[in-house]
């Protein structure tokens, strides 16, 4: 256009502008012909997992087959589910002639539910880059997002092989013999002399010792508070989702340790119940139940929780209660119910450090307002530690942890309880 304008002042430029326009039109026609001469120039396949793992990086694979006999340049735009709020997703790739190209990207969901993928759009252009041809594939695909089964698999083999300490889980010294009797065996150097069976020794005329194993078939319940205190977000996930992911893992670990695993949630009422059992389908039942847990804005009714546990759980059980207390006053309102539960069961209250306050506590205050903020943040952090001491005073175990360390700390406490025979 500029050359045509200049051609009105300098006539020689007008002929050059017309020649360049003809060349451009010819290249455009040529570019169109070579891109559209075949009906099937590109084939694209999006490969999704059967389900997404909440809070984890999930791989999405794309396979592109180039049927053109010349190299092409592609712009890949995948219509990602709206939950991710990604509006600028695109991948650029150069494809060799008659080749197959595989690429992968990852998505991290932060809420459970159904995720709908749109079309896989691939825009193809030649070396001229004047025309792009769009190919669309895999329209309207739905994939569910479940609690973190990737984290579950991470600890699965470790639970079987007793190598959980490899991920920072501590070993606990075994105290006493509150374990199930397994067999009588010959004494070998290193066996505990306190386990000598004197009757069997006299009968066999050689030292015989009793061999014990961890008690099995003990009920382990993960109880999840889904009230408004669990709406607090951390790194994209709510505290409820962290509790759900940890419950899934600890249930699997308990089953691998030959215990019974069960779950239920509560707020205004008790829901999503899976009775503690040790059957092969138990993990599937727990996974499906955890998938449907959603938080609400009500204040949780601990009185109803206490009544439900007293009525429905008759065998002494390990109760892992996932909730959150910010102040001592909040704890004192629920303490009568917690003490009531702890009379019949081994209760572990699991609540969270407010990691958002760490920056306020560690940063140096430079203004009066910052000094006030720092003092208030330290007060809240101190109250969290007071809550631990208050629970301990009534024989209630507790775990004060950060959301990212929740799973590790919960498994730690479970293994400690098993090793000490507290249940």
């Amino acid at each position: 256009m500029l050359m045509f304008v200049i051609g009105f002042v300098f006539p020689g430029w007008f002929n050059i502008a017309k020649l360049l326009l003809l060349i451009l039109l010819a290249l455009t026609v040529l570019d169109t012909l070579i891109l559209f001469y075949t009906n099937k120039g590109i084939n694209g396949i999006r490969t999704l997992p059967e389900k997404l793992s909440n809070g984890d990086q999930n791989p999405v694979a794309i396979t592109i087959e180039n049927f053109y006999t010349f190299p092409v340049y592609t712009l890949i735009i995948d219509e990602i589910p709206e939950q991710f709020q990604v509006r600028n997703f695109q991948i650029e790739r150069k494809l060799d002639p008659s080749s197959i190209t595989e690429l992968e990207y990852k998505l991290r969901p932060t809420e459970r539910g159904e995720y709908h993928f749109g079309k896989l759009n691939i825009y193809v252009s030649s070396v001229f880059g004047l025309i792009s041809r769009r190919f669309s594939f895999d329209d309207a695909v739905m994939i569910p997002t479940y609690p973190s089964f990737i984290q579950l698999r991470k600890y699965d083999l470790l639970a079987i092989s007793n190598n959980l300490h490899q991920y920072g889980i501590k070993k606990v010294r075994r105290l006493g013999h509150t374990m199930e009797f397994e067999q009588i065996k010959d004494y070998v150097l290193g066996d505990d002399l306190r386990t000598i069976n004197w009757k069997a020794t006299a009968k066999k005329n050689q030292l015989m010792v009793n061999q014990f194993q961890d008690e099995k078939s003990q009920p382990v319940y993960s109880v999840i508070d889904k009230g408004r205190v669990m709406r607090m977000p951390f790194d994209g996930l709510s505290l409820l989702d962290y509790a759900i992911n940890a419950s899934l893992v600890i249930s699997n670990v308990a089953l691998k340790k030959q215990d019974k695993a069960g779950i239920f949630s509560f707020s205004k009422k008790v829901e999503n119940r899976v009775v503690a059992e040790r059957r092969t389908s138990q993990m599937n039942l727990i996974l499906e139940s955890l998938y449907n847990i959603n938080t609400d804005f009500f204040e949780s009714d601990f009185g109803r929780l206490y009544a439900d546990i007293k009525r429905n759980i008759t065998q002494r059980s390990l109760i892992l209660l996932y909730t959150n207390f910010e102040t001592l006053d909040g704890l004192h309102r629920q303490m009568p119910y917690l003490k009531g539960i702890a009379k019949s069961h081994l209760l572990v209250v699991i609540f969270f450090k407010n990691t958002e306050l760490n920056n306020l506590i560690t940063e140096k205050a430079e203004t009066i307002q910052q000094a006030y903020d720092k003092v208030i943040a330290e007060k809240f952090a101190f109250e969290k530690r007071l809550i631990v001491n208050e629970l301990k005073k009534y024989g209630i175990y507790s775990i004060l942890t950060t959301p990212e360390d929740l799973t590790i700390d919960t498994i730690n406490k479970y293994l400690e309880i098993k090793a000490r025979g507290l249940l």
Side-chain angles (χ1 to χ4, degrees):
M1 180 63 69
L2 179 61
M3 294 190 66
F4 278 106
V5 173
I6 295 174
F8 281 103
V9 181
F10 303 100
W13 283 87
F14 192 77
N15 292 329
I16 297 175
K18 289 194 294 183
L19 178 61
L20 292 177
L21 179 60
L22 290 174
I23 294 173
L24 179 62
L25 291 175
L27 290 176
T28 302
V29 172
L30 177 62
D31 203 6
T32 304
L33 289 175
I34 63 176
L35 287 177
F36 288 87
Y37 80 94
T38 179
N39 291 329
K40 192 175 183 181
I42 290 288
N43 183 44
I45 300 174
R46 181 207 292 129
T47 304
L48 295 169
E50 181 181 349
K51 52 184 177 286
L52 298 178
S53 178
N54 193 28
D56 298 313
Q57 295 291 346
N58 297 264
V60 178
I62 296 177
T63 303
I64 304 175
E65 187 173 2
N66 180 21
F67 295 104
Y68 290 110
T69 57
F70 53 87
V72 294
Y73 297 86
T74 60
L75 176 64
I76 304 160
I77 300 178
D78 199 358
E79 296 179 359
I80 294 174
E82 62 181 9
Q83 288 94 331
F84 294 102
Q85 292 297 302
V86 177
R87 297 291 180 264
N88 58 348
F89 177 88
Q90 61 182 38
I91 301 174
E92 297 181 1
R93 283 290 187 277
K94 178 184 177 182
L95 306 183
D96 296 328
S98 303
S99 64
I100 298 177
T101 301
E102 295 183 352
L103 53 95
E104 181 182 279
Y105 67 91
K106 294 185 177 181
L107 295 174
R108 181 180 180 265
T110 55
E111 58 185 76
R112 287 160 288 113
E114 296 182 350
Y115 284 63
H116 295 268
F117 284 80
K119 295 179 180 179
L120 173 62
N121 301 294
I122 302 177
Y123 294 85
V124 181
S125 59
S126 69
V127 67
F128 300 115
L130 299 174
I131 298 292
S132 289
R133 181 180 178 182
R134 187 182 73 171
F135 295 88
S136 296
F137 309 96
D138 297 339
D139 189 17
V141 179
M142 190 283 290
I143 182 170
T145 296
Y146 276 77
S148 180
F149 54 85
I150 290 180
Q151 191 178 91
L152 172 66
R153 293 168 185 164
K154 172 182 174 182
Y155 296 102
D156 197 3
L157 291 176
L158 294 175
I160 298 174
S161 60
N162 292 321
N163 287 328
L164 287 168
H165 63 277
Q166 292 180 1
Y167 279 83
I169 299 175
K170 61 187 177 184
K171 293 180 178 179
V172 180
R173 184 168 60 92
R174 196 177 300 275
L175 301 177
H177 293 295
T178 55
M179 298 172 286
E180 291 182 347
F181 173 79
E182 184 176 18
Q183 64 177 350
I184 299 174
K185 69 178 188 72
D186 295 336
Y187 173 84
V188 296
L189 188 64
D191 283 339
D192 192 343
L193 295 177
R194 293 174 297 176
T195 63
I196 293 177
N197 188 318
W198 293 108
K199 288 184 178 180
T201 297
K203 188 179 296 185
K204 296 266 300 186
N205 200 27
Q206 66 180 50
L207 284 176
M208 305 294 292
V209 295
N210 294 327
Q211 187 173 18
F212 298 87
Q213 62 180 358
D214 288 339
E215 292 184 12
K216 299 178 180 179
S217 299
Q218 297 171 309
V220 178
Y221 278 95
S222 296
V223 182
I224 302 172
D225 183 351
K226 60 178 185 178
R228 63 168 176 254
V229 296
M230 300 295 278
R231 296 281 296 186
M232 184 181 295
F234 179 83
D235 195 22
L237 292 177
S238 67
L239 295 183
L240 176 68
D241 282 308
Y242 281 103
I244 287 172
N245 292 343
S247 298
L248 185 64
V249 173
I250 195 64
S251 297
N252 187 59
V253 171
L255 290 172
K256 298 298 182 185
K257 294 291 185 181
Q258 306 301 312
D259 282 333
K260 301 176 183 178
I263 65 147
F264 57 90
S265 64
F266 77 101
S267 178
K268 296 296 287 183
K269 58 182 179 179
V270 175
E271 298 175 306
N272 310 103
R273 186 190 307 276
V274 177
V275 178
E277 294 289 348
R278 204 179 71 206
R279 52 194 167 192
T280 55
S281 62
Q282 190 72 356
M283 282 308 300
N284 287 332
L285 292 174
I286 290 174
L287 183 62
E288 291 297 332
S289 181
L290 291 174
Y291 174 75
N292 294 315
I293 293 179
N294 292 308
T295 184
D296 54 40
F297 291 96
F298 295 112
E299 182 174 356
S300 298
D301 189 345
F302 281 78
R304 178 162 293 188
L305 173 66
Y306 165 68
D308 186 271
I309 291 177
K310 187 175 181 63
R311 182 173 58 252
N312 295 307
I313 305 179
T314 56
Q315 182 181 353
R316 179 173 169 82
S317 306
L318 172 60
I319 306 292
L320 300 171
L321 174 57
Y322 298 88
T323 185
N324 199 29
F325 293 111
E326 291 293 339
T327 63
L328 271 175
D329 290 337
L331 174 67
H332 287 150
R333 286 197 300 270
Q334 314 302 343
M335 184 60 78
Y337 307 115
L338 297 179
K339 289 192 292 184
I341 297 172
K343 285 181 180 179
S344 304
H345 305 280
L346 182 60
L347 176 62
V348 179
V349 177
I350 304 168
F351 60 110
F352 300 89
K353 296 178 181 177
N354 193 334
T355 55
E356 299 297 324
L357 298 178
N358 289 343
N359 291 336
L360 288 175
I361 295 174
T362 56
E363 288 180 359
K364 182 180 179 180
E366 297 180 353
T367 64
I368 295 177
Q369 181 63 47
Q370 290 176 351
Y372 286 149
D373 292 342
K374 184 173 182 177
V375 169
I376 293 172
E378 290 176 345
K379 175 183 178 295
F380 278 116
F382 180 67
E383 277 209 66
K384 291 279 188 178
R385 297 191 292 272
L386 289 180
I387 291 172
V388 173
N389 292 332
E390 189 74 9
L391 290 168
K392 186 177 180 180
K393 186 166 63 176
Y394 295 101
I396 300 173
Y397 293 87
S398 64
I399 301 175
L400 176 59
T401 182
T402 58
E404 68 267 26
D405 293 331
L406 173 62
T407 301
I408 288 290
D409 290 341
T410 304
I411 298 175
N412 253 341
K413 181 61 71 173
Y414 168 73
L415 294 180
E416 177 184 347
I417 289 170
K418 291 290 291 182
R420 294 179 177 173
L422 299 175
L423 183 56

